[in-house]
């Protein structure tokens, strides 16, 4: 998902990216966040917009310093991570060691009992393979997606959709034709194109605005749509400031 030139050069994530996929009739929104403390504000904004964390740990290296930063912020917000032990095909991979290191880190950072009892998925990212047990046979990422459906609460329901619209911007994007776009998480209601909305800032001052365009995500691509409902992540145009 790292598309920025500097990201590719340094091999790290600097800017959060969005993706979405349909699996077993459920839309799963994914936000790839930086893992480094240097980009702390970006990480915290993203963590406040999601419902769970996939904590990816190298099966050979174990938890890295950046793992500590993101995990600490996640636990403080009450999120319950899913741990993914990746690169289990490395010659010196030790998934058991990596998992033990993650548990120690959870406890060191003050995780509660529910957070410490995290589900674990084993994977080979480059091959697109995931397993719930190391001895399982697998040819795709279905076990990881099944784990997400099992452990991440649904972000949408008829009750939430019926409420007045409430959405939180957590990032910005730029478009050559549309100007500044807000990346928003819709918590309640339905956000519609052409709708007049209230925008409230951190001091409580509100103003009016109008939604000109909405884009949702399909894979890594953004797709224009007429509305975004509770539980979705969308790009919204029409609010330049």
């Amino acid at each position: 998902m790292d598309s920025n030139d500097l990201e590719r050069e340094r091999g790290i994530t600097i800017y959060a990216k969005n993706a979405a996929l349909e699996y077993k009739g459920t839309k799963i929104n994914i936000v790839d966040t930086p893992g480094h403390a240097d980009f702390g504000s970006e990480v915290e904004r993203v963590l406040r917009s999601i419902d769970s964390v996939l904590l990816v740990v190298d099966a050979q290296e174990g938890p890295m310093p950046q793992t500590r930063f993101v995990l600490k912020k996640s636990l403080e917000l009450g999120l319950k991570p899913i741990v993914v032990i990746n690169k289990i095909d490395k010659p010196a991979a030790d998934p058991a060691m990596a998992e033990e290191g993650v548990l120690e880190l959870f406890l060191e950072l003050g995780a509660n009992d529910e957070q410490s009892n995290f589900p674990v998925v084993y994977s080979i990212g480059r091959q697109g393979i995931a397993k719930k047990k190391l001895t399982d046979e697998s040819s795709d990422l279905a076990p990881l997606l099944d784990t997400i459906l099992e452990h991440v609460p649904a972000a949408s329901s008829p009750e939430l959709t019926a409420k007045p619209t409430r959405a939180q911007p957590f990032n910005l994007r730029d478009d050559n034709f549309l100007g500044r776009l807000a990346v928003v998480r819709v918590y309640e209601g339905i956000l519609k194109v052409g709708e007049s909305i209230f925008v409230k800032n951190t001091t409580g001052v509100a103003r009016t605005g109008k939604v000109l365009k909405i884009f949702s995500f399909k894979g890594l691509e953004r797709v224009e749509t007429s509305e975004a409902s509770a539980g979705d992540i969308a790009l919204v145009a029409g609010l330049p400031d």
Side-chain angles (χ1 to χ4, degrees):
M1 292 173 74
D2 293 335
S3 54
N4 179 274
D5 289 341
L6 183 59
E7 290 176 321
R8 291 182 179 277
E9 179 185 328
R10 296 181 61 185
I12 60 173
T13 301
I14 297 174
Y15 303 106
K17 314 292 189 310
N18 294 81
L21 58 92
E22 293 279 343
Y23 181 69
K24 292 184 176 180
T26 299
K27 184 176 185 180
I28 300 175
N29 284 296
I30 301 167
V31 188
D32 182 25
T33 179
H36 292 254
D38 292 352
F39 314 110
S41 60
E42 182 105 348
V43 172
E44 291 201 48
R45 287 198 310 274
V46 170
L47 289 176
R48 292 177 186 278
S49 70
I50 46 85
D51 299 316
S52 184
V53 173
L54 293 180
L55 190 74
V56 182
V57 177
D58 189 299
Q60 180 174 314
E61 304 291 341
M64 304 295 282
Q66 58 264 33
T67 311
R68 168 185 290 272
F69 173 74
V70 176
L71 179 58
K72 182 174 185 292
K73 296 298 180 184
S74 303
L75 297 175
E76 288 173 353
L77 291 169
L79 297 172
K80 290 177 275 190
I82 295 169
V83 174
V84 181
I85 306 295
N86 191 33
K87 302 180 182 178
I88 57 174
D89 58 328
K90 278 187 172 182
D94 189 343
M97 177 275 296
E99 190 175 332
E100 184 65 28
V102 172
L103 178 58
E104 290 176 1
L105 188 57
F106 267 68
L107 299 175
E108 186 181 328
L109 294 176
N112 60 36
D113 291 343
E114 194 173 4
Q115 290 171 323
S116 299
N117 189 26
F118 49 80
V120 179
V121 177
Y122 306 94
S123 68
I124 306 173
R126 288 183 181 275
Q127 297 179 25
I129 293 172
K131 308 177 180 185
K132 289 188 177 182
K133 296 180 181 178
L134 285 169
T135 53
D136 290 348
E137 293 293 329
S138 178
S139 59
D140 56 28
L141 291 173
L144 174 60
L145 300 177
D146 287 331
T147 302
I148 291 172
L149 294 188
E150 289 167 18
H151 292 275
V152 182
S156 179
S157 70
E159 292 77 19
L160 286 174
T161 304
K163 291 185 175 184
T165 304
R166 185 169 66 91
Q168 171 70 54
F170 66 90
N171 226 330
L172 298 173
R173 289 289 178 267
D174 286 308
D175 184 276
N176 291 336
F177 302 102
L178 298 170
R180 179 173 286 182
L181 305 175
V183 187
V184 306
R185 158 73 186 270
V186 184
Y187 285 96
E188 296 170 348
I190 302 175
L191 193 63
K192 299 179 180 179
V193 171
E195 193 172 50
S196 293
I197 59 173
F198 288 101
V199 182
K200 185 179 286 188
N201 66 19
T202 53
T203 63
V205 177
R207 58 185 172 82
T208 57
K210 190 172 184 178
V211 177
L212 297 183
K213 283 186 181 291
I214 298 176
F215 299 90
S216 64
F217 293 92
K218 185 174 183 180
L220 292 170
E221 302 299 319
R222 68 185 197 191
V223 180
E224 189 169 351
T225 183
S226 60
E227 61 183 42
S229 58
D232 212 349
I233 289 177
L235 286 163
V236 177
L239 307 166
D241 56 348

